[in-house]
Amino acid sequence: MLQLENIIKDFGGLRVLDSLSLQVEEGLIFGLIGPNGAGKTTLFNIISGLSRPTNGQVIFNGTDITHFSPSSIAARGMGRTFQNIRIFKELSLLENVLAGMHCLYTYSPVAMLLNLPIQRQEEKVMREKAMEILDIFHLTGKAQRQAESLSYGEQRKLELARALATSPKLILVDEPAAGMNPSETEELMGEIVQINNRGYTICLIEHDMKFVMGLCQQVAVLNFGKLIALGTPEQVKCNPLVIEAYLGKDAC
Amino acid sequence: MIEFLMSFWQTYNTLFYTIMVHGMLALSIYITLACGQLSLGNAAFMGIGAYTAALFTMKLNAPFGLALLAGGMLPAFVALIIGAPTLRLSGVYLAMATLGFGEVVRVVFLNISITGGSVGLNGVPPKTELWHLFLVMGVLIYFFLKLKNSRFGRAMEAIREDEVAASVMGIKTTWFKVWAFAIGAFIAGIAGGLNAHFTFFLSPREYGFDFAVDILTFAILGGTGTFWGPLVGSTILTIMPEMLRFIGPYRLALNGLILVLVVIYLPNGIITVKKKD
């Protein structure tokens, strides 16, 4: 589904990603871990088109998307969330999710101005869909509230809901459990499994090892921009390179 | 009573016309602000529209409707040309480009012969009638009402809130920003055409930087959360100097003081939208 070939990214003289090649198979929950500064978020930015690699290719569903704009990559079925939450704070929860559905709409500006039936029909269908998505995250009761009023954990969930609203084939999730308490994290794990069961492929960055090891079928470990290990959580956990660079002796 | 109303209207009809035109200008900047972009070129767009429409009626004897349409189209076209390169970038580039653009337009008006140079254009035929203003304002309000709850309006709000997040939702941010800017220029141009045909006289000085800032103040004072804000702001700011006439020479100082107070105590403008929280 997603194929990275020889990705290199330089910031000035600093090589942040070094000849990175990876493959994410359809249907997986794929984990990307590594110490701070390893290049995980940079890699997400490159995959979603927010930043261009110095060299290398990103292939998504057979298309080379390396030089596509973020919006056209999104329209091809890639959703993402951000490490520092980027919800639309002044919009309601429902409006946040509806904004995420932008590409699913088809009606034209003319239909908008004339209030044609296609517009009313679409708005109605989308609203129902949006409520269904909010329901996965137990947020339907707050649909009309302003997004800013949510708790930190709920804001993360809303962002995930909004990413899901784009109807993506692959969702990139950047540190979803950061700042959540243990019970919220637990709930989130359930929700991610639920999303995955609906057929969405998920690629996530996370520092909470319980979360990663419990969810992911495959894990890649980055250190200083290089892939140092790839495999099932069990394989990765006991890899000496990973223990030295990131997890420490007690992990295995 | 009727006599009183008649004389009231005679005295104040120009003020009313001005309120309507300023309202349109406030909406013209609102639509770019709604995409999170600051345009300081709307006074210049108004000027291009005013001169274009006036030249159409004066030199070509064109019907008023056609002249107005031309007065809207030319600024919109110019906006597409300026907007396409600058709006690909996020941030303050539009503000910078339009700031320079406003000066360029003023100097061009001053120096080419068809616009009458520094003398300006005199004797623009009085064609603007009350119902024209109501019609245009009505169409604009209808447009903004429809935009508000549509997918396009939501996309614009998303861009204003967070351009990067909007782009990864598949929203073509540049496309929206350029069109919002061009539609704003179109509205400003129409307002200029209407204005030209009741003030009879055009001068390059009217469309300079000062007025660009005035237009921005209309929107900021009224609040940019909904399109009603700029309309309220422009109405208040147009009436206020007249209301304050009684205090004589200090009226502009008081006018400024009121503005400062509003900005301090109502930082989001007079009309604020409150959602449940």
Side-chain angles (χ1 to χ4, degrees):
Chain A
M1 158 157 281
L2 178 71
Q3 213 174 328
L4 305 174
E5 283 175 8
N6 257 322
I7 301 283
I8 294 174
K9 177 73 184 175
D10 294 333
F11 287 134
L14 185 68
R15 183 146 292 188
V16 186
L17 292 171
D18 194 358
S19 314
L20 191 75
S21 296
L22 253 185
Q23 212 161 342
V24 179
E25 302 293 340
E26 192 166 347
L28 287 186
I29 302 182
F30 187 97
L32 191 59
I33 62 173
N36 287 325
K40 304 180 297 293
T41 298
T42 306
L43 187 61
F44 266 21
N45 287 345
I46 287 173
I47 299 172
S48 55
L50 293 175
S51 145
R52 304 258 174 263
T54 311
N55 213 333
Q57 280 180 314
V58 183
I59 293 160
F60 181 51
N61 277 331
T63 316
D64 182 349
I65 57 164
T66 321
H67 297 286
F68 283 24
S69 69
S71 60
S72 61
I73 292 175
R76 279 167 186 274
M78 179 133 32
R80 77 165 283 182
T81 69
F82 294 87
Q83 190 176 352
N84 47 336
I85 306 174
R86 301 187 85 147
I87 51 171
F88 305 130
K89 288 194 174 126
E90 284 180 30
L91 304 189
S92 71
L93 273 65
L94 180 65
E95 286 168 329
N96 262 275
V97 177
L98 287 173
M101 292 180 156
H102 183 77
C103 288
L104 311 184
Y105 280 97
T106 58
Y107 70 80
S108 66
V110 178
M112 169 194 92
L113 284 178
L114 302 179
N115 209 3
L116 295 181
I118 175 171
Q119 182 200 9
R120 274 171 285 158
Q121 178 67 22
E122 259 186 35
E123 287 290 352
K124 195 168 146 260
V125 172
M126 295 296 176
R127 252 155 241 268
E128 283 163 11
K129 261 197 205 168
M131 290 308 269
E132 271 172 41
I133 292 172
L134 283 174
D135 195 40
I136 300 177
F137 300 93
H138 312 288
L139 289 170
T140 30
K142 296 176 175 171
Q144 300 302 331
R145 286 227 224 153
Q146 195 172 341
E148 202 172 14
S149 71
L150 295 179
S151 73
Y152 193 77
E154 285 172 324
Q155 292 192 9
R156 286 219 173 272
K157 289 182 179 183
L158 175 63
E159 203 186 9
L160 198 51
R162 189 185 62 183
L164 203 58
T166 62
S167 206
K169 299 184 183 83
L170 172 68
I171 315 179
L172 308 174
V173 188
D174 201 345
E175 296 202 23
M180 283 190 175
N181 64 37
S183 77
E184 282 176 319
T185 308
E186 190 101 342
E187 225 179 271
L188 181 68
M189 284 176 79
E191 286 152 5
I192 289 188
V193 169
Q194 205 186 330
I195 297 170
N196 185 237
N197 286 341
R198 292 182 180 215
Y200 297 99
T201 309
I202 295 165
C203 180
L204 58 88
I205 295 175
E206 184 50 64
H207 284 296
D208 182 334
M209 280 309 119
K210 221 178 102 205
F211 190 90
V212 175
M213 299 304 175
L215 275 178
C216 302
Q217 288 109 4
Q218 213 178 15
V219 177
V221 190
L222 290 191
N223 191 29
F224 291 116
K226 285 198 169 114
L227 183 68
I228 58 169
L230 177 71
T232 63
E234 286 69 32
Q235 289 168 342
V236 165
K237 227 171 3 186
C238 296
N239 183 317
L241 281 173
V242 179
I243 290 174
E244 192 195 339
Y246 185 48
L247 291 180
K249 275 203 254 338
D250 301 334
C252 189
Chain B
M1 181 67 189
I2 296 212
E3 252 171 60
F4 169 75
L5 283 178
M6 290 295 280
S7 76
F8 183 83
W9 179 246
Q10 292 243 299
T11 319
Y12 287 109
N13 69 34
T14 336
L15 178 65
F16 184 79
Y17 280 37
T18 311
I19 289 171
M20 295 293 263
V21 167
H22 285 179
M24 292 169 200
L25 290 167
L27 289 176
S28 81
I29 199 169
Y30 165 76
I31 191 167
T32 45
L33 288 170
C35 281
Q37 293 295 315
L38 176 56
S39 161
L40 291 169
N42 288 37
F45 289 133
M46 179 199 187
I48 298 177
Y51 275 104
T52 308
L55 290 172
F56 261 69
T57 47
M58 288 166 75
K59 308 263 181 211
L60 303 176
N61 270 324
F64 188 42
L66 182 68
L68 277 184
L69 190 66
M73 296 298 275
L74 186 60
F77 182 68
V78 174
L80 285 177
I81 294 172
I82 313 172
T86 42
L87 287 167
R88 298 177 66 84
L89 309 162
S90 55
V92 296
Y93 297 98
L94 186 70
M96 282 155 62
T98 48
L99 189 64
F101 167 72
E103 263 318 279
V104 171
V105 169
R106 194 180 64 83
V107 173
V108 168
F109 286 156
L110 267 175
N111 287 293
I112 58 177
S113 59
I114 193 164
T115 58
S118 60
V119 184
L121 275 186
N122 237 321
V124 182
K127 287 190 185 265
T128 301
E129 284 176 46
L130 198 54
W131 69 269
H132 297 141
L133 295 166
F134 275 115
L135 181 70
V136 172
M137 188 52 98
V139 168
L140 287 177
I141 289 176
Y142 177 83
F143 170 75
F144 280 101
L145 279 174
K146 287 291 163 216
L147 183 65
K148 191 175 171 351
N149 288 313
S150 75
R151 69 180 181 119
F152 304 103
R154 260 193 311 274
M156 286 167 62
E157 279 184 287
I159 293 168
R160 173 165 78 170
E161 292 265 316
D162 190 326
E163 208 174 317
V164 170
S167 72
V168 302
M169 303 288 104
I171 296 168
K172 291 182 190 143
T173 52
T174 306
W175 191 89
F176 274 98
K177 288 188 291 181
V178 170
W179 275 107
F181 182 51
I183 291 171
F186 181 80
I187 298 171
I190 298 272
L194 287 166
N195 191 57
H197 289 85
F198 74 79
T199 55
F200 323 132
F201 168 68
L202 298 181
S203 130
R205 272 182 299 281
E206 291 168 51
Y207 309 109
F209 179 66
D210 290 358
F211 195 55
V213 174
D214 284 346
I215 296 175
L216 179 63
T217 321
F218 295 159
I220 303 291
L221 179 90
T224 53
T226 147
F227 70 91
W228 296 111
L231 284 179
V232 170
S234 61
T235 307
I236 291 175
L237 283 175
T238 313
I239 293 178
M240 207 160 62
E242 300 302 318
M243 302 271 279
L244 296 176
R245 252 177 215 289
F246 68 92
I247 59 165
Y250 297 106
R251 75 186 172 112
L252 285 179
L254 186 62
N255 199 37
L257 184 67
I258 293 173
L259 274 181
V260 170
L261 289 177
V262 169
V263 170
I264 290 173
Y265 290 105
L266 296 167
N268 294 321
I270 293 167
I271 307 289
T272 43
V273 257
K274 194 81 194 127
K275 289 207 174 69
K276 276 201 297 180
D277 48 24

